[in-house]
Amino acid sequence: MAYCLASSTYIIGLGFRLRNTIFKMSFADKINKFGKPNFIPEGWYWLLKSDDIKVNQAKPAKFLTHDFVVYRGVDQKVRILDAHCPHMGAHLCDGKVEGNSIRCPFHLWKFNELGQCENIPVLKEPAKVDVLNSYKSEEKYG
């Protein structure tokens, strides 16, 4: 794991795990992926200062070509999801953090920390929709 150090403040690290198909690639194929769009090597990367995100607050973050929403739930834990709602593409940082989930600002779809839609206000049961990618986060070096 690689972390960027910051003095007297925690940092939020973003953890990328390569998909299962990547593990089946040869070492030479993995090397050839470097420098290609949308390829991020497995590891930990600095994303935000911990002080920048309060409880019940969502912030946008960008790493290379990827957009994320970073939010802190009521349990003080930081969560990272893909930024855009699969319904109409709204950026979730403009939504509202509710408990440990986040609600889209357009049609109020609610996504949990695993990126699963858990509530659509006009439906009794949430429809099966695309799951947002979720990413591991850790706060270190404070």
Side-chain angles (χ1 to χ4, degrees):
M1 288 190 270
Y3 293 96
C4 176
L5 297 177
S7 61
S8 73
T9 184
Y10 284 101
I11 60 158
I12 298 170
L14 169 68
F16 276 98
R17 187 181 75 240
L18 301 176
R19 302 284 184 237
N20 291 338
T21 55
I22 287 288
F23 289 113
K24 296 174 185 170
M25 296 173 71
S26 71
F27 181 74
D29 288 339
K30 288 180 187 178
I31 294 297
N32 288 332
K33 294 285 273 177
F34 281 94
K36 304 286 194 247
N38 296 324
F39 178 74
I40 300 175
E42 183 175 295
W44 286 91
Y45 302 92
W46 180 87
L47 195 57
L48 290 171
K49 288 193 300 184
S50 187
D51 296 348
D52 290 345
I53 188 157
K54 309 294 183 224
V55 173
N56 289 327
Q57 183 181 33
K59 293 259 187 174
K62 189 169 184 88
F63 182 75
L64 300 176
T65 59
H66 298 270
D67 290 319
F68 303 103
V69 60
V70 181
Y71 69 97
R72 190 182 299 276
V74 294
D75 64 356
Q76 306 273 331
K77 183 180 172 192
V78 172
R79 290 154 175 89
I80 304 172
L81 299 174
D82 281 342
H84 300 282
C85 178
H87 180 225
M88 301 267 309
H91 202 298
L92 294 173
C93 76
D94 296 323
K96 181 179 179 186
V97 177
E98 294 181 1
N100 294 321
S101 300
I102 190 162
R103 195 171 287 278
C104 176
F106 278 6
H107 297 103
L108 306 178
W109 290 18
K110 186 176 179 182
F111 296 91
N112 64 20
E113 64 187 274
L114 300 175
Q116 300 163 334
C117 184
E118 59 183 23
N119 179 260
I120 298 174
V122 297
L123 301 176
K124 290 181 183 178
E125 295 289 324
K128 293 192 181 202
V129 298
D130 290 341
V131 174
L132 297 171
N133 288 322
S134 60
Y135 302 90
K136 292 184 179 186
S137 66
E138 288 193 26
E139 296 180 83
K140 296 284 186 182
Y141 307 115

